[in-house]
Amino acid sequence: MIIVMKPNASEDAIKHVVTEVEAKGLKTHLSEGEEVTIIGVVGDKSKLDTTAIEAAPAVEKIVPITESYKLSNRKFHPQPTSFKVKDTVIGPDTMTIMAGPCAVESEEQLMCIAQAVKKAGATILRGGAYKPRTSPYSFQGLEEEGLRYMKTASEETGLATICEVTSAHAVESAVKYVNMLQVGARNMQNFELLKEVGKTGLPVLLKRGLAATIDEWLNAAEYIISSGNPNVALCERGIRTFETATRNTLDLSAVCVLKEKSHLPVIVDPSHATGVRSFVEPLAKAGIACGADGLMIEVHNDPAHALSDGPQSLNFEQFDSVMDNIRPYISLAGRK
Amino acid sequence: MIIVMKPNASEDAIKHVVTEVEAKGLKTHLSEGEEVTIIGVVGDKSKLDTTAIEAAPAVEKIVPITESYKLSNRKFHPQPTSFKVKDTVIGPDTMTIMAGPCAVESEEQLMCIAQAVKKAGATILRGGAYKPRTSPYSFQGLEEEGLRYMKTASEETGLATICEVTSAHAVESAVKYVNMLQVGARNMQNFELLKEVGKTGLPVLLKRGLAATIDEWLNAAEYIISSGNPNVALCERGIRTFETATRNTLDLSAVCVLKEKSHLPVIVDPSHATGVRSFVEPLAKAGIACGADGLMIEVHNDPAHALSDGPQSLNFEQFDSVMDNIRPYISLAGRK
Amino acid sequence: MIIVMKPNASEDAIKHVVTEVEAKGLKTHLSEGEEVTIIGVVGDKSKLDTTAIEAAPAVEKIVPITESYKLSNRKFHPQPTSFKVKDTVIGPDTMTIMAGPCAVESEEQLMCIAQAVKKAGATILRGGAYKPRTSPYSFQGLEEEGLRYMKTASEETGLATICEVTSAHAVESAVKYVNMLQVGARNMQNFELLKEVGKTGLPVLLKRGLAATIDEWLNAAEYIISSGNPNVALCERGIRTFETATRNTLDLSAVCVLKEKSHLPVIVDPSHATGVRSFVEPLAKAGIACGADGLMIEVHNDPAHALSDGPQSLNFEQFDSVMDNIRPYISLAGRK
Amino acid sequence: MIIVMKPNASEDAIKHVVTEVEAKGLKTHLSEGEEVTIIGVVGDKSKLDTTAIEAAPAVEKIVPITESYKLSNRKFHPQPTSFKVKDTVIGPDTMTIMAGPCAVESEEQLMCIAQAVKKAGATILRGGAYKPRTSPYSFQGLEEEGLRYMKTASEETGLATICEVTSAHAVESAVKYVNMLQVGARNMQNFELLKEVGKTGLPVLLKRGLAATIDEWLNAAEYIISSGNPNVALCERGIRTFETATRNTLDLSAVCVLKEKSHLPVIVDPSHATGVRSFVEPLAKAGIACGADGLMIEVHNDPAHALSDGPQSLNFEQFDSVMDNIRPYISLAGRK
């Protein structure tokens, strides 16, 4: 951590900051420039109240040098994380395909989709039972009924299942029915929810917030891991920019950054990121090519009548074709 | 609502869409252009599953013409909303000043600040008991203990109180102690929480999400109002952009947009928006000048030792001075 | 400047960087942290090739502490700049109103507008003769003919004039006819154009680029000033964000940042920033309230038939009314 | 084009708009909704002054249905464009690799790099002779001297060459020495420059502006093509977002959008987009996987001493390795 003093900071003001920092057991290094003086701080910064220092009148700004997340940080865990979801493994040697409808609509619908995606090669069935929707007048999900269908589909097909949770109450229900929990983009910084999913024993897929920096994302993962749950995967699903030709802007360089900064597996969701069916295949390939550990793809038996997110869903034939076409990319990436 | 067909849409495909729309009791108007055909849809769109239509192969896109929010929409409620928080009124005739610390730290601290902000002219005491913090290792708030101090401060000074809530559990506690609830930026689309605060009888301050469009914001307000609570005020607190000279970018044109599109009161928070103490006064003036109904300002007895957000907090003397300097602007705006 | 080494940087690598820096006559301060070593650099950084250092394998990143712009930097020029444009002064004691049509369309039109804006209190007539338009099929301006009308209008009314220039060729023409040159948002980093306007003797209004940081903006001003022209004013005209309710997002906190970081005058353009006529007045007031030195407002004799940017232009009656309504804010700001 | 009237628009106002539109020889379709009336417009919109209509008091907004660019629009040119640069072809069957230093520094440097990139498989040598730099105090390029070295390098190696131009003057020089011109991100909407490069006979690489929408980008291409030059390729090089972990955010979904909306070839530049050397290979693969027609990669003989953009440049060994590793992806994409 570096403390940059204001150009006109008096010696007294500098000394005052140094004294406060050293009082917490940290060491300082003074560097007097021609324009400004900077104070390097060495030691365990968690002992220090940095906002207090930043508020001191003669302090210009604080420049952090090391990251505030530790448990999700590759520096302290150089080996990539890998974990099991039912019988499937998410990690550096596999390409995990999660597929299914945006929203669970009925038992028949879900079963029919589950069989189709299994046949095409997916190993995790996704399906929303709690749908966070922009308008209160849109379909909000089947809730516990939907979860029950997920469990049945899992039992009949052997697929693992993942479902989004949106409240402590939903977590309580979901743990009884599914194998993996998803925290959606809108809840990435719903810290109470992060603590709740952290307390369950289930693997968690943490989607990136619409305007979340990678640093904030890894700090959100830190909430889950520090609540006792190390099995976290991160899902890039597009960020909000000025561009309106796609629903969001898929940030594939984030995959590279995450691989460097963290040991957690990374999943790419080209369906939500673009909102356009025909972009799913090329961006799925691109995601694999730049290092993703898995893909999340929306599949629906009848996209033209889906209750949620139809335009980006693939039908069975399209999903089969995508799976066929990405296979050589999975091989090239040395995964199975 | 307008349905834009693809350039090569067949007559059959067009007829198919028209039939589906009319089957729901809506009317259509066909407009055949040289390049594309568009279908105008008239009637109650809530009967229609627009994502299904958008997913039809020959449909290029759907262009909404009317807003999905109704209860927060000025078109249906032309008169500006005004409501009481304890003895103070938020609405078109007043300039409500909410002031206090980012986080409640102790009873003495809060009481001391409450007395100072009251003396300077604030009527609502703000103070965080549940702090959503980016890192799990940062101070997370005193929780119920903090709420109790808020109640004591209110009793001793007569100030109304507002406190952020971050979960259903926090709502349950807060309603016992404070006069107004705040939903923070990170929870603007935590729809479960919106429904919870909607069910309480307390006025709600809904902060804008970091990357929320105004349309999404008014839809979030719609969640609260449609849960039975019409007393909602909106708080502009800066959006996330590429600019890093300020913590966020205060979007004052949003105040103008909201005044045109909605009847709900608008509060401006220059402290959180900029993160810089010296920008609070000029942007408070600017907020008043462009139509805000109130201000939220961070005040701390000892900003250099605040447990949260020190750099943007004013001390008592600075807050006194801001209040003195904004008074002529409040008069000019015809408010009291 | 601070050089942050990678966590595993060897002593040799650190020594190598230190040697390179010191070879240029600069001093270094080493600060060995528990995780990383940082090197503080003191002295004239312009002697140093920072990209070369950043490219060294053991270097994590470089953190600049001081700004690269000097001539536009308040640290080195604490007094606010003020300069004359014909008979009007732009600076800390005045509120300069620039008004006129987006595009010059004819001599009659311009004369009629010039008289109206003068009567209402504007002192500088704006009018575009070279229009940078997104589509090549939109009206591109009257070019030199438009400039001649500007000169005539100035002679008949006594108003000063400002016109956008888009190429070296346009600069050559414009200097013969107008009193101030404007560099538009799209050309803020057209460095060749900045050097050209820098070589003329005329005051320059430099609009902020659509996605330009304040730091880049002040560096662009530095191009003009370092080419020999100190008379530069900066114009905030909205930045591009995800919000689509307004054409751009007017960043009024930028006015505060500029006042702190630079000595150059700041003009606010609420017309282009929002693209909405009814938002011009409230945001003009807000601009004055937060410290602007002037306003640029679009006025047209017949907005419904303007060849460019009609929706945001005020007619004469509306401009009169805005001028009347902002006057008390100008007084409050202690300007004339 | 659709004209949306305000909710309270009178019949007279609607009739007035209809009359104006029809007076230009266009047809209208009225669609009266419960809340608003919309007017569909059919025919050649270039005859229409849309800003005038948008400025009419009873008009809420205009919704464009068809794009304003024609020559760069796939709807009117379904076959993908392909063109020759010296002996190399850019188009749907090839993967064109452009490689070289950010800035030309000396004849020896350039020759040495040219030989290395040729050996590794590149066919176009890139090298900047005119460098647009944020600060006027940074290295600005060797100008004509640099162009001469490019020509020599081309003659000795047989590589085609590309060089950025930043002014009409630079265009005049560059056409004498290089095979392809580049318009940089900062100049994407420097319309005068676009017209200048459009008048030369040379192929043009048009980089996307930092905050340019795809629609604006294709309109910029339209400037070049409508000036007589159909040989335009588009280069995605990252857009500006809130994320700071990479220099810009590489928008690979833009490749998919461009392939759908335009017939022009698309080049991906992972070097500038990320500013991080280790991200070049994974994102080069991703670019190929999602449909790019070529790559632009920075290569330097001694990145640690480059005069410009060192941190993202590959040395020869690294570039060899990238070329080896992307080859299977080029094959998979069915290109050579």
Side-chain angles (χ1 to χ4, degrees), chain A residues 133 137 216 222-223 240, chain B residues 133 137 211 216 222-223 240:
Chain A
R133 303 295 298 273
Y137 310 125
E216 289 169 339
E222 191 85 1
Y223 265 94
R240 183 160 275 179
Chain B
R133 303 295 298 272
Y137 310 123
E216 289 170 337
E222 193 84 1
Y223 265 94
R240 182 162 278 181

Side-chain angles (χ1 to χ4, degrees), chain C residues 93-167:
Chain C
D93 302 325
T94 54
M95 176 62 50
T96 304
I97 310 295
M98 310 179 174
C102 183
V104 177
E105 295 168 24
S106 73
E107 188 165 6
E108 298 67 40
Q109 171 239 23
L110 190 65
M111 197 61 70
C112 158
I113 296 174
Q115 277 152 352
V117 302
K118 183 183 181 175
K119 202 171 137 228
T123 55
I124 301 186
L125 177 68
R126 61 150 289 157
Y130 301 88
K131 301 302 307 169
R133 302 295 298 272
T134 301
S135 164
Y137 310 124
S138 299
F139 175 62
Q140 310 266 323
L142 293 180
E143 308 196 345
E144 191 146 357
E145 186 188 342
L147 292 171
R148 276 199 301 273
Y149 300 157
M150 288 293 279
K151 191 178 170 96
T152 312
S154 173
E155 286 165 357
E156 301 227 355
T157 61
L159 287 169
T161 51
I162 180 170
C163 192
E164 178 169 357
V165 287
T166 55
S167 66

Side-chain angles (χ1 to χ4, degrees), chain D residues 157-238:
Chain D
T157 60
L159 288 169
T161 52
I162 181 170
C163 190
E164 178 170 359
V165 287
T166 55
S167 66
H169 173 76
V171 173
E172 215 178 297
S173 299
V175 294
K176 293 183 276 178
Y177 298 105
V178 296
N179 307 113
M180 188 171 186
L181 303 177
Q182 176 182 313
V183 174
R186 292 178 183 81
N187 282 311
M188 192 202 84
Q189 290 196 314
N190 180 344
F191 301 119
E192 298 309 314
L193 184 63
L194 297 177
K195 291 176 197 166
E196 291 296 332
V197 300
K199 285 183 218 150
T200 72
L202 294 184
V204 177
L205 184 71
L206 178 63
K207 290 202 149 190
R208 182 182 191 178
L210 216 55
T213 62
I214 292 171
D215 194 80
E216 289 170 339
W217 194 6
L218 288 170
N219 269 298
E222 192 85 1
Y223 265 94
I224 301 173
I225 305 176
S226 67
S227 299
N229 189 344
N231 299 326
V232 177
L234 303 165
C235 179
E236 164 63 32
R237 39 77 72 211

Side-chain angles (χ1 to χ4, degrees), chain D residues 209-274:
Chain D
L210 216 55
T213 62
I214 292 171
D215 194 80
E216 289 170 339
W217 194 6
L218 288 170
N219 269 298
E222 192 85 1
Y223 265 94
I224 301 173
I225 305 176
S226 67
S227 299
N229 189 344
N231 299 326
V232 177
L234 303 165
C235 179
E236 164 63 32
R237 39 77 72 211
I239 56 173
R240 182 162 278 180
T241 69
F242 59 83
E243 179 59 68
T244 56
T246 43
R247 187 194 290 172
N248 299 291
T249 298
L250 183 67
D251 179 9
L252 286 179
S253 53
V255 178
C256 305
V257 176
L258 289 171
K259 288 287 156 195
E260 200 170 86
K261 290 190 175 287
S262 180
H263 51 93
L264 299 174
V266 180
I267 308 294
V268 167
D269 178 348
S271 304
H272 276 90
T274 63

